Amino acid sequence: MGMRISYNARMGSEYRTPHCENLRVLVKPKSNFEVEFLLTCDRVGASRKLFLEYSHEDFHSLSQEKLEEMGLSTSQAMSLMTKVCSGEGVCSGQEADSGIRDRLIKMLRRDDALRLSEEVQARYAEQPESWTWKWQVTDDVQRQVCTEFGFQDSMAEGLDLLRSSMSLFPDDVEVLCAAHYLLHNIHKPCTLHLSMETPDIKLHALNGADSSVDAIVKTGRATVIIAGSHT
């Protein structure tokens, strides 16, 4: 089915007087947050002139919708809201993240619907044993979702958002339930630890012969076990 494929960032500043024109503007006294916000504008291609006269309260009043009304793309608006929400008390918790969260949930649901569709399932089935093919199909689906939600001009950021959902909202049940592959993720913390006795697991050789972990270890040779699966 190829349903459980997913993937899982920061900036700094200098003390010396900047040489380029874009950075000279920042010499005017500003808070660390304001400087970082304007640098984020540069990074995402948004005009910092829109915000040069903004006060702390003005930043507090920003929203995803307002930024898009100012002519910014969905990707640019989301990047700037992420910076606002991580600023020095500019926003608070769930209220600050609600715009990004709501859009992410809609993206996850669309991703899920496409992956479970007959058309995409048929594509997965074309090469059922190829992880590379499964990843290609999944990547195609997620790029379609990002395009539908306004990330056609900044695909990398859209994919990063979609694939980082549980890192961004780790305890959010609604986000978890938005996609089949998140809710039914079989990856769990390993219960084995160093010095723990290895359980005896039945194994089957490629020629059909039966064996076990104990039998292999007792041969006296160093043993390395590498296990994995894809579905």
Side-chain angles (χ1 to χ4, degrees), residues 19-157:
H19 294 264
C20 67
E21 185 61 33
N22 278 346
L23 291 181
R24 284 200 197 110
V25 180
L26 299 178
V27 174
K28 177 183 176 181
K30 297 179 182 295
S31 69
N32 288 341
F33 166 74
E34 290 172 303
V35 170
E36 290 187 5
F37 183 90
L38 295 178
L39 289 174
T40 301
C41 288
D42 296 340
R43 182 174 63 82
V44 303
S47 174
R48 64 167 63 173
K49 293 180 180 179
L50 295 170
F51 310 101
L52 284 179
E53 302 304 322
Y54 265 46
S55 66
H56 196 77
E57 290 71 24
D58 292 329
F59 285 113
H60 180 76
S61 68
L62 285 174
S63 66
Q64 177 84 21
E65 294 72 20
K66 184 174 181 178
L67 288 170
E68 291 185 11
E69 289 173 0
M70 293 167 66
L72 301 183
S73 68
T74 298
S75 173
Q76 290 172 325
M78 292 187 71
S79 294
L80 293 181
M81 281 308 299
T82 298
K83 174 54 65 178
V84 170
C85 295
S86 63
E88 301 169 341
V90 177
C91 296
S92 61
Q94 291 184 334
E95 178 184 357
D97 292 335
S98 60
I100 296 174
R101 175 183 176 276
D102 292 346
R103 189 180 296 266
L104 174 58
I105 289 174
K106 292 176 182 178
M107 292 175 70
L108 287 168
R109 288 173 177 166
R110 177 59 173 156
D111 182 20
D112 193 54
L114 286 173
R115 291 204 206 189
L116 291 172
S117 67
E118 291 185 6
E119 179 183 356
V120 173
Q121 286 296 304
R123 287 193 65 199
Y124 280 129
E126 290 176 15
Q127 299 183 44
E129 300 304 319
S130 171
W131 184 93
T132 301
W133 174 250
K134 290 180 180 181
W135 174 244
Q136 181 62 61
V137 175
T138 300
D139 188 60
D140 289 345
V141 168
Q142 293 190 328
R143 288 176 182 274
Q144 177 180 335
V145 172
C146 290
T147 297
E148 292 178 3
F149 281 84
F151 289 95
Q152 61 272 13
D153 296 325
S154 52
M155 187 61 63
E157 291 190 23

Side-chain angles (χ1 to χ4, degrees), residues 156-188:
E157 291 190 23
L159 291 171
D160 197 29
L161 174 66
L162 190 59
R163 296 169 181 174
S164 303
S165 55
M166 295 314 299
S167 295
L168 294 169
F169 302 97
D171 301 313
D172 195 311
V173 176
E174 190 173 4
V175 172
L176 177 66
C177 294
H180 173 93
Y181 60 88
L182 294 179
L183 183 61
H184 299 287
N185 185 4
I186 63 172
H187 294 90
K188 306 294 181 184

Side-chain angles (χ1 to χ4, degrees), residues 167-228:
S167 295
L168 294 169
F169 302 97
D171 301 313
D172 195 311
V173 176
E174 190 173 4
V175 172
L176 177 66
C177 294
H180 173 93
Y181 60 88
L182 294 179
L183 183 61
H184 299 287
N185 185 4
I186 63 172
H187 294 90
K188 306 294 181 184
C190 182
T191 58
L192 301 178
H193 54 78
L194 291 176
S195 78
M196 189 176 190
E197 184 176 346
T198 307
D200 188 23
I201 302 172
K202 291 184 178 180
L203 302 173
H204 303 281
L206 293 178
N207 61 8
D210 292 333
S211 185
S212 69
V213 171
D214 276 1
I216 293 175
V217 171
K218 288 177 180 178
T219 61
R221 296 185 300 173
T223 303
V224 177
I225 300 176
I226 302 175

